[in-house]
Amino acid sequence: MTTTTTPRPGLAARLTALTKVVEVGAGRLDKKLLDEATALLQRAGERLKLSSEHTVVALAGGTGSGKSSLFNAISGLELSPTGVRRPTTGRTHACVWGLEGSAPLLDWLQIQWRHRFSRASALDKGDTQLNGLVLLDLPDHDSIRALTDTEADRLIGLADLVVWVLDPQKYADASTHRRYVTELAGHDAVTVFALNQADKLDTEELAELLIDLNDLLRREGVEHPSVVPTSAVTGRGVESLKSVIATAVSRRRAAIQKLEADLQRLEQRIAETMPLGEALSAPASVDEARRMGLTDALCDAVGVPAVGEAMENVYAERSSKWVGWPYPRWADRFRADPLKSLRLEDVSEEIRGITTGSVSAQSAEVANAVHALADGLSMNMHPVWRTAVQQAAKSRSKQLPKALTEDLAEVAPRLDHVPGWWWALKIWQYALVAAFLAGVVWLAAGLLMPGSLPPSLELLGDSATLPWVGLMMASVLGLGALSGIAARNFVELGASRERERLEREMRRRVAAVSATMVVEPVERELSRHHTFYTALRDLSA
C-alpha cells in the first residue's frame, strides 16, 4: 500500500521558505545555488508524494570495495554480479523487502524492471525488521564509464540513506572524500560507512584503521560518523550493518532526515553567499521622511522656488496697474522708472520659460537626488542588493526630467487672470478720482466766477461752500492714499498666497511623478529584499 510521507513539523514551512528564496532570489543569488535549490525542491516534492513505507538505502563505493558482495550478503541472494579488477555493476540493482506499493518509487528511481528483485521470502527468515527496505547496489562512482558514473551520482542524491562501502586500501581515497564525503556535513543521520573486507586485517590493524577513518571523517565535517566494519566473505559485521539499516527502516524517518540534511546544507551555502546578519533591519519601504526629502531635492532641481518667486513678482507688478492710486502712477510716467533696469516687465516671459521649458540642464541634480535616496536606503545591504536598489531607483531617471517638465507645464500660472477685488478697487479709486476732479471744478467756479453763474449753478459760486469742498477734496485724497496703501498690503498678501498655492500644486505634482518613477520601483526592490531575507530566516529556523 502506498502512502504519502508526512514531514515533521517545520519541514513544509522550510520548503515553502526555500521556494520563496528561489522565486525572489532570481537574478540576485548565484545561479548555481538557484539551480541546486530548484532541483532540491523538485526532488523533495516528488519524494514526499511517494511511499513513506519504503526507505531507499544505496550502497555506494569505488571499484573493488566489495559493494556488490555486501549487497548480496545483506539480501541473502546472489543478485548483483561481483568483481575486483573492473566495475561489474553496470546498472543499479534493487532488492525490495515488501514489494507492494514500491513500483512508483522504483520508477522514480529509474530502476529497470529486470534489475528489480523482491525479498518477500526473507520475511520467513526473521528479517521482518527490514520490511520496507529498498536496497540499491549502485554502479561504482569511480567507473571509467561515464554512464554508470552519472547514474551513481544521481541515485546518491535521491537515496534516503547512503552506505559508503570502503575498502582498507582505499578508505581515504580522494575521489570519494573530496567529491562526496566533504559534501555530507550535516548528513550524519542518513550516512553510514561500511569498512568492508575487514577479514584482510588483524584485530590491531582494524582498530587502528577505524580510529584513523573516524578522525578523517570528523575533519571533513562528519561530526558523528557511523562506521561499521564488515566482511562479505566471512559475514563479519553484516548483521550489525543490517541492524543499522533496519533501525532506519523501522523509524520511517530516513527520507525526511535526508531532505532536512540537504535543506540544511543548501541553507548554509546560501547564508555564506548572502549572510542574514542585519539584513532585515534594512527598510522594506520608503518612509515618509525620505519621500519628502526626494520631493524637496527634485523641486530644487526643477526650480520650483524660482517659479514661485517669479510668480510672486509678476503678481505684484501686474497688480500695480490695477490697484495703485492713479495719481502717483500717472506722475511716474513722466520720470524714469528704475524698475525697468530690473526687467520686471519681462518676468511673465521668464515664468513661462521656467514652467514650460526643458529642465535637461538640471539632470545632474535630478540624478543626485535619486542616487541619494538609493544610497540611504541600501546602506546596510549586501552589495548585490545594494546595486539592485540603485538600479531600480535609476531605472527611469532618463525620462524623469522630461516627465517633471511636462507635468509642471500643466500648472503654469494664469498670467491673464484678474481677481475680482482688483476690478472693485479700481472702480472705487476712479470714483474717488472723479470726486476729486468735481471738487476742483467746484473750487474753480467759486473762486474764478463768483456771482456770474446762472441761478441753477449758484451753489457752485457760493463762497460759503468752498471750505467744505476743500475739506471733501482733502478727504478724497486721503481716502485714495489709504486705499492705495491698503491695496498694496492686500496685493502682497495675495501674491504670497498665490505663490504658496502654485508651489504647493507644483510640489504635489513633483511628489506624484517621483512616486511613480522612483519610489515605486525602489519599493518593489526593497520588498523583494525583505521577502528574500525573511524567507532565508524561516529557512534557517
Side-chain angles (χ1 to χ4, degrees):
M1 176 180 179
T2 301
T3 58
T4 301
T5 304
T6 303
R8 71 173 176 85
L11 178 59
R14 293 179 68 196
L15 289 173
T16 300
L18 181 60
T19 301
K20 186 61 68 174
V21 168
V22 170
E23 178 184 334
V24 301
R28 307 289 179 266
L29 196 60
D30 180 72
K31 186 178 184 303
K32 183 179 179 181
L33 285 177
L34 283 174
D35 290 343
E36 291 182 16
T38 302
L40 175 56
L41 288 169
Q42 181 178 358
R43 185 169 71 250
E46 292 171 348
R47 181 63 184 95
L48 292 173
K49 293 177 182 178
L50 297 171
S51 174
S52 64
E53 299 299 318
H54 291 86
T55 300
V56 180
V57 178
L59 298 182
T63 304
S65 63
K67 172 172 49 63
S68 295
S69 299
L70 193 58
F71 175 81
N72 292 335
I74 295 173
S75 64
L77 299 171
E78 291 295 326
L79 302 177
S80 185
T82 60
V84 176
R85 294 184 180 180
R86 63 183 177 87
T88 56
T89 310
R91 289 290 184 179
T92 302
H93 292 70
C95 183
V96 183
W97 279 255
L99 193 61
E100 183 182 358
S102 64
L105 180 59
L106 292 170
D107 290 341
W108 178 65
L109 295 171
Q110 299 179 23
I111 307 299
Q112 296 180 359
W113 280 94
R114 67 176 180 271
H115 295 147
R116 300 180 186 182
F117 305 97
S118 174
R119 196 63 182 86
S121 60
L123 300 177
D124 300 330
K125 298 182 179 181
D127 283 345
T128 55
Q129 73 274 18
L130 295 178
N131 188 33
L133 170 63
V134 177
L135 185 65
L136 304 181
D137 181 18
L138 305 186
D140 302 325
H141 69 76
D142 55 358
S143 170
I144 61 173
R145 292 182 293 185
L147 177 62
T148 58
D149 194 36
T150 302
E151 183 172 1
D153 287 347
R154 180 180 63 83
L155 289 171
I156 287 171
L158 296 180
D160 302 329
L161 186 147
V162 178
V163 178
W164 286 97
V165 183
L166 308 174
D167 70 85
Q169 294 181 342
K170 297 193 300 181
Y171 71 92
D173 180 53
S175 66
T176 298
H177 289 265
R178 292 179 184 174
R179 188 172 172 186
Y180 298 104
V181 177
T182 54
E183 298 295 321
L184 294 177
H187 287 66
D188 300 18
V190 289
T191 306
V192 178
F193 298 89
L195 184 58
N196 201 25
Q197 303 177 15
D199 58 289
K200 296 181 179 180
L201 304 172
D202 59 34
T203 304
E204 185 176 345
E205 289 175 334
L206 180 59
E208 290 179 358
L209 195 149
L210 288 173
I211 293 173
D212 186 56
L213 178 57
N214 275 277
D215 290 342
L216 175 62
L217 293 173
R218 289 191 181 95
R219 288 196 300 270
E220 293 177 338
V222 184
E223 295 183 4
H224 307 287
S226 176
V227 181
V228 182
T230 60
S231 172
V233 175
T234 65
R236 177 181 178 181
V238 173
E239 290 301 321
S240 297
L241 181 58
K242 289 173 65 176
S243 178
V244 172
I245 294 174
T247 299
V249 171
S250 62
R251 289 177 178 174
R252 302 289 191 265
R253 291 268 300 125
I256 302 302
Q257 289 174 322
K258 174 65 180 303
L259 291 175
E260 290 173 342
D262 289 344
L263 200 57
Q264 180 66 22
R265 175 68 176 171
L266 183 62
E267 180 272 322
Q268 290 175 351
R269 294 179 60 193
I270 295 175
E272 289 172 1
T273 302
M274 290 187 173
L276 181 60
E278 299 298 321
L280 286 175
S281 64
S285 61
V286 181
D287 58 87
E288 189 61 29
R290 285 192 171 92
R291 287 174 181 262
M292 293 179 63
L294 176 63
T295 301
D296 289 341
L298 292 178
C299 284
D300 291 339
V302 298
V304 168
V307 173
E309 183 178 359
M311 174 62 200
E312 190 172 15
N313 292 334
V314 168
Y315 189 99
E317 178 64 17
R318 289 180 63 247
S319 68
S320 64
K321 299 177 182 179
W322 286 82
V323 299
W325 183 226
Y327 292 119
R329 187 169 69 249
W330 293 337
D332 287 342
R333 293 179 179 178
F334 299 98
R335 64 178 182 224
D337 185 2
L339 293 179
K340 289 184 178 181
S341 62
L342 300 179
R343 299 181 62 190
L344 289 180
E345 69 277 6
D346 297 329
V347 173
S348 61
E349 295 302 321
E350 175 187 352
I351 192 171
R352 284 193 180 95
I354 290 175
T355 57
T356 62
S358 173
V359 294
S360 58
Q362 305 298 329
S363 295
E365 294 183 30
V366 172
N368 289 338
V370 172
H371 185 74
L373 174 72
D375 272 358
L377 291 167
S378 61
M379 185 179 302
N380 298 321
M381 290 184 179
H382 186 280
V384 171
W385 288 100
R386 184 163 61 247
T387 300
V389 171
Q390 291 171 349
Q391 289 177 344
K394 299 174 184 177
S395 61
R396 303 180 66 183
S397 58
K398 291 184 179 180
Q399 296 83 28
L400 184 57
K402 181 180 179 181
L404 289 170
T405 303
E406 292 176 351
D407 206 60
L408 293 182
E410 298 178 4
V411 293
R414 295 168 52 192
L415 301 181
D416 58 346
H417 175 65
V418 178
W421 70 272
W422 288 12
W423 283 101
L425 186 60
K426 188 172 186 177
I427 293 172
W428 162 253
Q429 288 178 332
Y430 275 97
L432 292 178
V433 168
F436 182 78
L437 291 176
V440 171
V441 171
W442 194 316
L443 284 178
L447 294 175
L448 300 177
M449 296 181 294
S452 61
L453 295 174
S456 60
L457 298 176
E458 287 181 358
L459 184 61
L460 294 177
D462 189 354
S463 60
T465 63
L466 295 181
W468 295 104
V469 172
L471 179 61
M472 179 199 71
M473 294 174 63
S475 299
V476 166
L477 289 175
L479 284 174
L482 288 176
S483 66
I485 295 173
R488 178 57 56 185
N489 290 335
F490 281 117
V491 163
E492 291 178 358
L493 180 60
S496 177
R497 288 179 176 175
E498 191 67 15
R499 175 178 182 172
E500 290 177 0
R501 182 202 64 77
L502 177 63
E503 290 186 353
R504 184 168 58 251
E505 177 61 16
M506 294 178 74
R507 181 181 176 85
R508 184 189 68 79
R509 289 179 176 256
V510 169
V513 171
S514 65
T516 301
M517 304 188 70
V518 180
V519 175
E520 288 182 6
V522 168
E523 285 199 324
R524 283 195 294 270
E525 198 60 41
L526 292 178
S527 177
R528 184 175 179 178
H529 172 270
H530 186 77
T531 301
F532 177 86
Y533 279 100
T534 299
L536 189 59
R537 180 197 61 193
D538 295 341
L539 178 60
S540 60

